[in-house]
Amino acid sequence: MNFFGATLLLLLAPSLTEGSKRGKEMDVKTTFTAPHEIHQYEQTKFYDEPKWECRFAALGSTHLRGSDSSTATGGTTCMACRNPGGKYDNALIVEVKAMYKRANWNEKDEANNKPRKHCIFPGRGEFWTCFDSNLVIEPDSDWLGSLKDKPIYDAEGLPLAEGADPDDGVCYPGSLAGDIDDNGATQPDGSQFG
C-alpha cells in the first residue's frame, strides 16, 4: 500500500467508527419479553466457570441506549452471564440458594431446603445476578414447552427414573434442545440499562 492509500484510510477511520456507533445506538432494543422469574437469592454458584461469558451492567442506570456498561452509574449493579456455546452445545448450570424457597425461613438446612439448579442453554438469554438488590433474573424458558430448565434428565433426554439419585441428572441434552424452535422471546442485552 502506498503512502496516499494509508493516509486516506487513517482519515476515514474516525468517520466509519462514528457511523457504526450511531447505527448501533439506533438498533438498540428498548423492550423485551418477560423473563422466566425474578426473585431473591442468597447465593449463586456457577458450574464450569471458564465456559461462561459474563459482563457487569447497571440495572436502572442513568446511562441508557447504547452506552458503555463499564462506565454505567446509578441503579443496581448486576452480572449478566450467558452460555456462549453453539446451538447444539449443552446447557451450563447455575445453582441458586434462595431464602424464599425455604420451608422454614430461619432454617438454613440444605438437606431440607436444597438449592435449585437452572440450565442455561446457548443463545437463549442471560442469567442476571444483581448484587445491591439480591435479585436473580432467569431467562425465558417457555421455549422448552413441557420440558424443564432443571438437570432432571438422563443423557438420552428422558426424565430420571423414579428413585434415581437427583445428582445424576443432567440438563436436557443440547443435541436435542438445539432443534427446539425459537418462541420469539427477546432478551435484554444490557444496552437498555447502561
Side-chain angles (χ1 to χ4, degrees):
M1 177 180 290
N2 64 25
F3 176 76
F4 176 76
T7 304
L8 182 60
L9 284 175
L10 286 173
L11 292 173
L12 287 175
S15 63
L16 292 174
T17 303
E18 287 304 311
S20 65
K21 283 182 187 175
R22 280 193 303 275
K24 184 177 178 184
E25 286 179 20
M26 287 190 278
D27 293 335
V28 169
K29 292 182 282 183
T30 56
T31 63
F32 48 89
T33 53
H36 175 63
E37 281 187 4
I38 300 172
H39 63 81
Q40 169 276 338
Y41 77 96
E42 76 185 300
Q43 180 181 339
T44 57
K45 178 186 180 353
F46 292 85
Y47 289 75
D48 297 315
E49 296 93 335
K51 293 182 180 179
W52 290 88
E53 189 174 277
C54 300
R55 63 188 171 78
F56 287 105
L59 191 60
S61 166
T62 56
H63 294 270
L64 299 176
R65 297 197 52 89
S67 64
D68 178 5
S69 62
S70 66
T71 62
T73 59
T76 298
T77 304
C78 301
M79 183 175 71
C81 295
R82 70 180 195 94
N83 180 341
K87 181 177 180 177
Y88 293 100
D89 286 342
N90 287 328
L92 295 174
I93 296 176
V94 60
E95 181 180 84
V96 180
K97 294 180 186 179
M99 292 170 65
Y100 86 98
K101 292 278 190 174
R102 292 181 185 173
N104 179 341
W105 183 272
N106 296 318
E107 185 180 314
K108 191 175 181 177
D109 178 7
E110 289 186 15
N112 293 323
N113 303 300
K114 293 191 180 292
R116 270 64 171 187
K117 293 180 180 176
H118 299 277
C119 303
I120 308 300
F121 291 86
R124 303 289 186 157
E126 297 174 311
F127 185 91
W128 288 62
T129 305
C130 298
F131 306 114
D132 306 334
S133 62
N134 276 36
L135 292 176
V136 293
I137 304 172
E138 300 173 22
D140 167 65
S141 61
D142 184 65
W143 64 274
L144 284 165
S146 63
L147 300 169
K148 303 293 181 199
D149 68 338
K150 312 278 185 273
I152 58 169
Y153 299 95
D154 65 18
E156 307 303 316
L158 299 172
L160 286 177
E162 193 170 320
D165 184 348
D167 290 335
D168 291 339
V170 296
C171 298
Y172 193 69
S175 59
L176 301 171
D179 286 331
I180 299 174
D181 289 335
D182 183 356
N183 66 350
T186 55
Q187 306 293 328
D189 62 11
S191 58
Q192 299 89 340
F193 314 122

